Amino acid sequence: MRQKILIARAVFPEVIARLAQHFDVTSNQDDVLWTPSQLIEQLQGMQGVFTTGSERIDAALLAACPMLKICANMAVGYNNFDLDAMTAAGVLGTNAPDVLTETTADFGFALLMATARRVAESEHFLRAGLWTRWRYDMFTGSDIHGATLGILGMGRIGQGIARRGALGFGMKVIYHNRSRLDAATEAQCQATYVSKQDLLKTADHLVLVLPYSASSHHAIGAAELAQMKPTATLVNIARGGIVDDAALAVALRNKAIAAAGLDVFEGEPKVHPDLLTVPNVVLTPHIASATVPTRLAMANLAADNLIGYLLKGKPLTALNAAAPR
Ligand code: 8YV
């Protein structure tokens, strides 16, 4: 008998077709946002689920879905998974690393440049019909080339941003990470390891690329923002919750830092109302990995994990070693 899987959100039809060659597939092409109890209801009798970062997999869901064997996330981040609960329940978790590294690093740089050079703010000004003359100080921002680029979280995406900064823009790159990179990788990225405090104090532009967990919650709050240069730019392409958004809105309004670029938010898709009213912030709706080839590669990797594990016992990018249920 064919195994059953649920695709919890809308996804590329060709990926659904691939999965349908192997499984009985239920998909959510209407992209209904299910409540946790609706998700549990949908998962009854299913062996696998294709998730995005939006579906929470926790102990309550696992207990209510005894047939479930694998949750395959179409995302590199997996803070929507309670991995300990999954391991305890014998459920495998997989993510989608590598395929989005360069695309996401590109976007980190796009947001950094838009923020430091005030692209969004000046475009709004022009569209509002306010551009009547040239002025020497109109929308003056800060330079990217030759500046000090700070990176908090130096995994694959952080390294991609470091390479872009050092090799493309002649930036001095400093980073802080839970563990220091080996010398060869540091040399390849032309990046120097510093303490978090030195990173905050020295960076002209600080990009956040660390995973979200209890220990990174509000890694950038009022105290950290106060240590940054008043001319500094902050970019968050990691996860909402790493930055204290309320504290950031205050810092932006008071010009404690010059500007911020945010692709992720605490409680997204809601955005802190104060961030919507400060001019010196560029806001994008969690699109750092959003190119067609990359999103397709992410979806195909999640599909490959479902096929690999449920049919051959061999997932490609496992997050835990779950003794099968
Ligand atoms: C996804 C992301 O678009 O991969 C991640 O961790 O944040 C994004 O690339 C998002 O999580 C949807 O699954």
Side-chain angles (χ1 to χ4, degrees):
M1 213 175 72
R2 274 155 62 102
Q3 300 184 77
K4 294 188 172 66
I5 65 159
L6 175 71
I7 303 177
R9 295 291 306 278
V11 74
F12 298 93
E14 56 263 53
V15 176
I16 301 178
R18 265 191 74 210
L19 285 165
Q21 289 172 11
H22 305 282
F23 305 111
D24 282 348
V25 174
T26 303
S27 67
N28 179 11
Q29 280 305 77
D30 291 337
D31 216 29
V32 177
L33 292 178
W34 291 321
T35 62
S37 59
Q38 285 170 327
L39 179 60
I40 288 173
E41 202 178 305
Q42 293 286 337
L43 278 171
Q44 292 311 301
M46 302 279 172
Q47 279 80 35
V49 60
F50 178 120
T51 51
T52 68
S54 314
E55 292 74 47
R56 175 100 191 119
I57 305 295
D58 58 13
L61 179 142
L62 296 165
C65 304
M67 307 290 283
L68 195 61
K69 294 180 178 162
I70 172 174
C71 304
N73 226 20
M74 181 191 154
V76 65
Y78 51 89
N79 53 301
N80 56 317
F81 287 177
D82 180 340
L83 213 53
D84 290 341
M86 289 168 74
T87 306
V91 174
L92 189 83
T94 63
N95 68 339
D98 300 320
V99 290
L100 48 54
T101 301
E102 299 302 328
T103 295
T104 305
D106 281 352
F107 189 81
F109 235 87
L111 199 49
L112 169 56
M113 296 191 76
T115 304
R117 297 301 309 273
R118 305 176 67 178
V119 172
E121 197 184 344
S122 60
E123 202 225 11
H124 294 153
F125 168 89
L126 182 153
R127 282 182 190 270
L130 299 171
W131 186 28
T132 54
R133 71 188 78 178
W134 179 92
R135 246 190 83 90
Y136 77 99
D137 60 351
M138 190 168 77
F139 292 109
T140 45
S142 54
D143 276 323
I144 305 287
H145 73 274
T148 297
L149 172 63
I151 301 176
L152 185 58
M154 197 63 156
R156 290 162 284 220
I157 298 169
Q159 291 169 34
I161 291 170
R163 285 193 307 272
R164 282 160 177 75
L167 306 176
F169 289 84
M171 300 178 89
K172 179 180 174 207
V173 181
I174 54 177
Y175 77 97
H176 183 75
N177 197 40
R178 272 174 306 186
S179 48
R180 191 173 167 170
L181 299 180
D182 61 69
T185 313
E186 274 189 359
Q188 203 191 26
C189 299
Q190 297 182 20
T192 304
Y193 182 80
V194 296
S195 68
K196 183 177 172 188
Q197 199 184 30
D198 283 349
L199 187 82
L200 293 168
K201 281 188 176 163
T202 318
D204 294 314
H205 306 290
L206 178 60
V207 182
L208 309 179
V209 211
L210 64 169
Y212 181 76
S213 66
S215 61
S216 63
H217 181 72
H218 287 187
I220 302 293
E224 289 75 17
L225 291 162
Q227 293 182 62
M228 293 175 67
K229 294 180 181 178
T231 49
T233 304
L234 175 72
V235 169
N236 186 9
I237 55 163
R239 273 291 179 274
I242 291 173
V243 174
D244 177 343
D245 285 349
L248 176 60
V250 172
L252 289 167
R253 198 175 296 285
N254 297 341
K255 303 275 173 62
I257 64 168
L262 306 173
D263 187 49
V264 288
F265 305 87
E266 286 189 280
E268 64 185 52
K270 287 196 187 118
V271 176
H272 193 291
D274 294 350
L275 287 174
L276 295 170
T277 57
V278 282
N280 46 343
V281 61
V282 180
L283 308 167
T284 53
H286 202 146
I287 57 166
S289 67
T291 67
V292 172
T294 292
R295 286 281 167 84
L296 188 56
M298 292 162 71
N300 271 318
L301 182 49
D304 287 337
N305 275 311
L306 288 162
I307 296 165
Y309 189 58
L310 288 176
L311 300 185
K312 301 171 218 153
K314 286 194 170 65
L316 273 71
T317 50
L319 294 167
N320 58 345
R325 282 176 146 176

